[in-house]
Amino acid sequence: MRAARLIKMVLLLQSRASMTGAELAEQLEVSERTVARDVLALSEAGVPVYADRGRAGGYRLVGGYRTRLTGLGRAEAEALFLSGVPSALREMGLADAASAARLKVSAALLPELRDAADGAAQRFHLDAPNWYHEPDSPPLLPEIADAVWDDRRLLGRYRRGGTEVERVLEPYGLVLKAGVWYLAARVDASWRVYRVDRFAAVEPSGEHFTRDRDFALPDFWAERAADFLRSILRNEVILRLTERGVRLLPLATDPLSARESLAASPTPDARGWTTVTLPVETFDVAYEQLLRLGPECEVLEPPELRARMAAALARAAALYDAVD
């Protein structure tokens, strides 16, 4: 434990010109007294750590000293590719590995390049969850992530409806979609997708599986996502949209199906209205989505949805008529 802390201290000092005892204590999660003892131990071991006294003082390495302990381990290298998604790293239990990896990279850089990490962090940030969505951290995600890294089979109990089913899984990859984690796995030679938060239990089997070298997670996910979307959009509605309604439709409904439907629609009529045939999940879902468009959308078919929309808009109009 202390050896790892001493190495981290050297890497911190190597990546910066100077650090105060308080700064080192915060980074290493120890007291300033422990920092002072660790500095003494490094000096006795031949590491040239120098303490500057005074208000602007701190600790620094003397004479351009550079450690050779900058080689990335496997877990650190893998975590580094995900370092733009800090919440994902935390949920998978890789935050410490990513921190160590970034520190080693920073220590290995030339002095004039050491602000590169801070510059990138100040300019780019990925916020994966949707607005108005409180992201959940599935409790079993770290165990599943470990199995994915190690190509290790899992015995999982998965909640499906009101029952639980048991499966032996070959976990190939994890996908974070709009704040929800999904597992891509092979089960009995077929490919499936599972929501991680619906696993009731997982247990490593102790057996490794041979990964299919032709499997590409981005391609697999894109194909499955498109298939899923087509599977749920089983109904159709016919709309007339104003010019503004055309612009708003992809914001109120599924963007891909909205754009495809608009592209296949005829040119606007003399009044500027565009008639669109739009695939929807259910008429209840379409009702909730299309109400957002208000007077920019007229439902033509089916008649029951048209009547429901008309009744809702009439109630809204009556509310405003009642205002003095």
Side-chain angles (χ1 to χ4, degrees), residues 127-185:
D127 184 9
N130 278 334
W131 289 106
Y132 314 118
H133 175 76
E134 198 67 33
D136 296 322
S137 299
L140 298 176
L141 180 60
E143 289 86 348
I144 294 174
D146 285 345
V148 170
W149 289 126
D150 294 339
D151 295 340
R152 191 181 300 275
R153 288 190 177 89
L154 281 175
L155 177 61
R157 290 209 320 272
Y158 189 75
R159 290 185 290 265
R160 178 173 294 167
T163 63
E164 291 185 3
V165 296
E166 286 195 356
R167 294 286 186 270
V168 177
L169 310 166
E170 294 181 354
Y172 265 68
L174 286 163
V175 175
L176 179 60
K177 170 69 172 177
V180 179
W181 285 96
Y182 296 89
L183 172 67

